[in-house]
Amino acid sequence: MKDDTKKEWWKNPHPRCKPSTRVISAGYEPEFSEMSAKVPIFPTSTFLFKSAEEGERFFRLYAHPEERKDGEYVGLIYSRMNNPNMEIVEDKMRMLEPGAEDAAVLPSGLSAISSAILALLNPGDTVVYSAPIYGGTEHMFDTIINKFKIKTVPVCSPDISEYRSIIEDNGDSVAMIFIETPTNPTIVHTDVEKIVGLAKEYSKGGRKILVAVDNTFFGPVFQNFFPLGIDLCLYSATKFIGGHSDLIGGFVLGNKNDIHTIKSFRSNIGATTDPFCCWLLSRSLETVEIRMKKSAENAQKIAEFLESHPMVEKVLYPSLLKPGDSQYDIYKKQCRGSGALISFYIKGGKKEAFKVLNNVELCRLAVSLGGTETLIQHPRRMTHAEVPEEICQATGITDNLIRISVGIEDADDLIDDLKKALESI
């Protein structure tokens, strides 16, 4: 049990240092764990109280953290509610999203999105969202969220005027703008600053339109949006944050009040992330910057190769955007790198795309992204198979589109692998 009188330096370590430095120490005080240099795992379901009075106080503070006095710790109770590994990884994640007051870890990216929406919104509310989004999110919006009388409306363009039109069509029911930037799998950027401005413009009285951003593709290394005024940042931690294709997890970050509401919801529906998964995430957060930068370095070389290949019709990768393109302007304004995701259209259709997929050797044919290994897949018939046809057609998810998540292998080896696969067409 943590010493209530000890200053909680681990909550905000080395404030003058960069995030990649702070994340190493964040959330963890070795003195509380037999001076272990690294975070141990706490595989326990319940925690002992020193007295009945302490148990009473811990439950009170868990439900009402605003009543916490200076130096008072919201103690450990039960691992569905809080666990050291959960709290440590949440503190570490917060270091990598400047401006976030708190973080909640959840069992998957989809549970992070669904918990945020169901905890903060009400029946009759409307979510306006960017399209395309991850196929699982689209399916959840279409089949689950609507069952709770929360309407979801797609916007198939990054044009802010399209968002304005849909907000006006739905009136005061709009409670959230949910965007995934860049989009999956078409790598389209949305101007977050303009989305935040639009939300403020249409918020009325005590009713605020929340801005939620799925930052899985580029965050937390290549883009951060709390400085632009967003309310919620969401992640599939399965991807780059976990980074080794060996776990499923998610995060929601935001202000203390919203995250407290989400954590209470998380506890009440039992959406608890187990201690071992949290421990793996803590491990991975320490290397996320190194891994993402290496993958992006590889992706740049591969994108340039694909752009010059005669069997490739078009490559979607941010650094290939040209000045004068509206997407170029957004990318340069809000991103610090181009990431590891490449989508490209080959000359042909499903038959030719499948031939490429069936002839790679180093690139691994699998969905997901963000691991140390390079993954390749066919969005239209795999991750986005259940996305409505009209959205696929409007956003360019066609049968000749292939998506690659570039890993940390040698770039020349990956290029040689893709070259041989493209020659098979």
Side-chain angles (χ1 to χ4, degrees), residues 5 77 83 155 180 227 320 333 347 360 386 400 403 413:
T5 64
I77 299 172
N83 174 283
V155 182
E180 181 181 271
L320 301 182
K333 180 170 70 170
K347 293 179 180 178
V360 292
E386 297 302 314
N400 65 330
R403 192 193 75 188
D413 290 337

Side-chain angles (χ1 to χ4, degrees), residues 354-367:
F354 275 30
K355 200 159 189 180
V356 172
L357 296 175
N358 288 333
N359 279 279
V360 292
E361 295 179 1
L362 294 179
C363 298
R364 304 182 185 191
L365 179 55
V367 297

Side-chain angles (χ1 to χ4, degrees), residues 340-375:
L341 275 296
I342 304 170
S343 291
F344 64 98
Y345 297 92
I346 63 166
K347 293 179 180 178
K350 175 183 172 182
K351 178 182 176 181
E352 289 75 16
F354 275 30
K355 200 159 189 180
V356 172
L357 296 175
N358 288 333
N359 279 279
V360 292
E361 295 179 1
L362 294 179
C363 298
R364 304 182 185 191
L365 179 55
V367 297
S368 196
L369 55 98
T372 54
E373 73 288 346
T374 295
L375 301 177

Side-chain angles (χ1 to χ4, degrees), residues 155-165 188-191 194-195 198 327 330:
V155 182
C156 296
S157 167
D159 190 336
I160 299 301
S161 65
E162 296 287 337
Y163 284 87
R164 181 183 298 276
S165 176
V188 173
H189 300 270
T190 301
D191 192 322
K194 288 184 179 179
I195 290 290
L198 196 65
Q327 280 290 293
I330 299 172

Side-chain angles (χ1 to χ4, degrees), residues 381-401:
R381 303 301 168 184
M382 295 178 186
T383 53
H384 291 66
E386 297 302 314
V387 173
E389 180 63 25
E390 60 271 21
I391 291 180
C392 289
Q393 290 299 320
T395 58
I397 305 176
T398 56
D399 273 329
N400 65 330
L401 181 67

